[in-house]
Amino acid sequence: MIANYKYSYYFYTFLIILICTLLIKADLSLSISYKEALNVFVNNSILTIITNTSMYFFGQNDIALRLPFILFYFFSVILMYKITDNYFKNEKDRLLSIIIFMLLPGVLSASLLVNSAIIVIFCTLLYLYYFQKYNKQSYLLLILFLFVDNSFAILYLALFFFSIKNKDKKLLYFSSIFFIISMYIYGFSTDGKPKGFLVDTVAVYATIFSPILFLYFIYAIYRAGIKNEKNLSWYISFTALLLSIIISFRQKVYIEDFAPYVVISIPLMIKTFLHSYRVRLREFRKIYNILAISIILMLTINVILTFVNKPLYMFLPNPTKHFVYQYHFVKELSEELKKRNIDGIISDNDELLLRLRFYNIHEGDKYYISTKEFYNYDEKITIKYYGRELFVVYLKKIK
């Protein structure tokens, strides 16, 4: 019992430190992207409601923009911790599982961005927690999920397969109805010519998990399937993974629709790995030791790059190839404009105008700004990170 309290203390301490780090990252290192600005000012979605509600209470700033998603991350981690209670024999195994879930590149980055992925993860874990605690389905949650995101069609399909296995006619009927309604509301994209994107899909999954972890995840899902160790979370993850792979044979897959359902089976993967490791004698554990060290090393690198990635600009020939380029430079540009007492501009770049609007640089008629050099401009404003020229605009005062 004392050991359990000790590991709980480690868990909550680590979680608090991580949340504080995310808040600092949100405030100091990120600018609003164009897609995020669309969700704030233009679109009419659940993301629009969430971000505008947060900004109503906390002001129009970067922390208020990203705070709801950090909170979704926080409560998702808590739910995962509750779900894995009694799942592992050793409390330290449970701690290891939850830490890996917390540090997954896809989960960690989703907590900082205005997107539906972390919301879907939270809702799915909430559903699993209810099912585990009360040993029954929550049809109220399934109804509510219809109005949250289009990707819940994947959850309904997984529940359909789960109901067949458990011969649950009620769940079979309702999951079918919810799936049909979801497809009717949101539709299914079949745009473009048929083209294979399997390699792209696997590459993105490898980025979300880290390559070695993803490969072992596939093995764990396969092993649980053939050994008939399939629980509800297995059905959800397997359905999402298989469906995304099948669709990728024909068209590009929006991984953010599928990944939230795949990552929830991390505890299954960790349990499989630890079981395989412990049933072997020490002299036969070498490959597992190498595998564990490789996974920890890659997760560590991914976490570092999530929080400290601006120095990468020093090594990239083309700064636009930076994996978070679209979340940089606009805040610094707005500060440079405010230093010049400029709070209103016109531009031929609508995306830049919308992003600057978040930092209270509105459309006006006194200054013209462009990302393209033009004749007789008054001033060139350059945004640099670590001495590297990242973004340049040209400013002209309109007489």
Side-chain angles (χ1 to χ4, degrees):
M1 184 64 69
I2 294 177
N4 290 351
Y5 283 122
K6 180 180 70 173
Y7 288 115
S8 294
Y9 171 79
Y10 291 155
F11 162 68
Y12 285 108
T13 301
F14 185 76
L15 178 59
I16 291 171
I17 292 173
L18 192 54
I19 293 298
C20 291
T21 306
L22 289 171
L23 289 171
I24 294 171
K25 174 72 176 178
D27 185 39
L28 300 179
S29 300
L30 295 175
S31 297
I32 191 170
S33 70
Y34 175 60
K35 288 184 178 180
E36 290 176 326
L38 284 175
N39 279 315
V40 172
F41 298 115
V42 179
N43 296 344
N44 185 20
S45 66
I46 186 71
L47 297 177
T48 307
I49 296 171
I50 290 172
T51 52
N52 280 277
T53 301
S54 178
M55 291 190 298
Y56 175 82
F57 288 105
F58 303 109
Q60 190 166 300
N61 55 73
D62 287 291
I63 288 184
L65 175 70
R66 306 187 189 283
L67 179 61
F69 306 94
I70 294 175
L71 290 177
F72 274 116
Y73 170 82
F74 173 81
F75 289 114
S76 295
V77 172
I78 295 295
L79 282 171
M80 180 62 85
Y81 188 68
K82 297 293 185 182
I83 290 171
T84 53
D85 189 23
N86 298 322
Y87 186 75
F88 296 95
K89 292 181 179 180
N90 299 320
E91 193 67 17
K92 64 180 179 180
D93 296 348
R94 181 189 183 195
L95 180 63
L96 176 63
S97 171
I98 197 69
I99 288 177
I100 289 178
F101 173 77
M102 293 165 68
L103 297 181
L104 278 181
V107 177
L108 199 58
S109 60
S111 68
L112 285 168
L113 308 179
V114 179
N115 68 91
S116 60
I118 196 65
I119 301 174
V120 174
I121 291 174
F122 168 77
C123 291
T124 305
L125 290 174
L126 179 63
Y127 185 85
L128 288 171
Y129 175 73
Y130 181 92
F131 176 76
Q132 179 178 293
K133 186 175 179 64
Y134 300 104
N135 196 30
K136 62 179 181 180
Q137 307 292 335
S138 174
Y139 294 99
L140 176 60
L141 285 176
L142 293 180
I143 293 173
L144 292 176
F145 292 166
L146 281 171
F147 306 98
V148 175
D149 192 72
N150 65 301
S151 67
F152 280 105
I154 300 168
L155 174 63
Y156 301 140
L157 186 61
L159 291 174
F160 173 80
F161 294 133
F162 181 74
S163 66
I164 294 175
K165 180 249 185 183
N166 288 277
K167 299 179 181 180
D168 186 338
K169 291 185 178 180
K170 182 179 179 181
L171 179 61
L172 187 147
Y173 295 144
F174 276 100
S175 60
S176 302
I177 292 171
F178 293 145
F179 176 78
I180 293 171
I181 294 174
S182 179
M183 296 301 293
Y184 175 78
I185 294 175
Y186 300 104
F188 181 77
S189 176
T190 56
D191 298 335
K193 298 180 180 179
K195 184 180 178 181
F197 286 91
L198 179 61
V199 175
D200 302 69
T201 300
V202 173
V204 176
Y205 273 128
T207 303
I208 292 171
F209 281 87
S210 79
I212 298 175
L213 196 64
F214 177 60
L215 290 175
Y216 193 82
F217 176 82
I218 293 177
Y219 165 75
I221 290 291
Y222 167 76
R223 183 180 181 277
I226 62 174
K227 288 185 172 294
N228 201 26
E229 298 172 353
K230 299 174 286 187
N231 55 18
L232 180 54
S233 63
W234 182 92
Y235 272 92
I236 295 172
S237 292
F238 179 76
T239 301
L241 180 63
L242 183 63
L243 190 62
S244 64
I245 290 174
I246 291 174
I247 294 175
S248 68
F249 281 109
R250 185 198 182 278
Q251 66 185 69
K252 186 175 182 178
V253 172
Y254 294 98
I255 292 295
E256 56 267 29
D257 288 341
F258 297 89
Y261 303 105
V262 177
V263 299
I264 63 171
S265 284
I266 285 295
L268 170 64
M269 185 199 71
I270 300 301
K271 188 174 184 179
T272 301
F273 178 85
L274 292 175
H275 173 75
S276 299
Y277 180 83
R278 287 169 178 156
V279 296
R280 285 166 170 79
L281 297 174
R282 288 184 180 275
E283 54 266 31
F284 299 109
R285 294 177 178 177
K286 184 177 180 180
I287 189 171
Y288 286 89
N289 289 327
I290 294 173
L291 187 62
I293 293 172
S294 301
I295 290 172
I296 293 172
L297 180 62
M298 297 194 74
L299 281 178
T300 302
I301 293 172
N302 282 317
V303 170
I304 293 173
L305 290 179
T306 298
F307 291 116
V308 186
N309 50 59
K310 288 183 179 179
L312 290 178
Y313 284 110
M314 294 187 291
F315 310 102
L316 293 174
N318 183 357
T320 61
K321 298 300 182 181
H322 195 293
F323 66 97
V324 286
Y325 177 80
Q326 61 182 317
Y327 298 97
H328 284 159
F329 71 76
V330 167
K331 183 191 297 186
E332 291 85 352
L333 176 60
S334 70
E335 292 171 354
E336 290 296 325
L337 292 173
K338 289 174 183 177
K339 287 179 183 178
R340 295 161 175 77
N341 296 315
I342 299 173
D343 59 5
I345 58 173
I346 58 173
S347 176
D348 57 352
N349 190 323
D350 293 334
E351 292 187 11
L352 181 60
L353 282 176
L354 191 63
R355 295 178 69 186
L356 285 170
R357 178 180 167 186
F358 180 78
Y359 299 103
N360 294 310
I361 305 294
H362 301 281
E363 291 191 56
D365 57 2
K366 293 183 179 180
Y367 291 89
Y368 172 75
I369 194 172
S370 176
T371 57
K372 301 176 182 178
E373 185 176 358
F374 58 90
Y375 175 70
N376 75 345
Y377 66 86
D378 292 330
E379 187 177 2
K380 175 182 176 181
I381 301 177
T382 303
I383 307 300
K384 296 181 178 180
Y385 290 167
Y386 295 93
R388 285 296 307 275
E389 188 176 281
L390 174 65
F391 188 74
V392 176
V393 295
Y394 301 90
L395 186 67
K396 175 71 176 179
K397 185 172 182 179
I398 302 174
K399 305 296 184 181

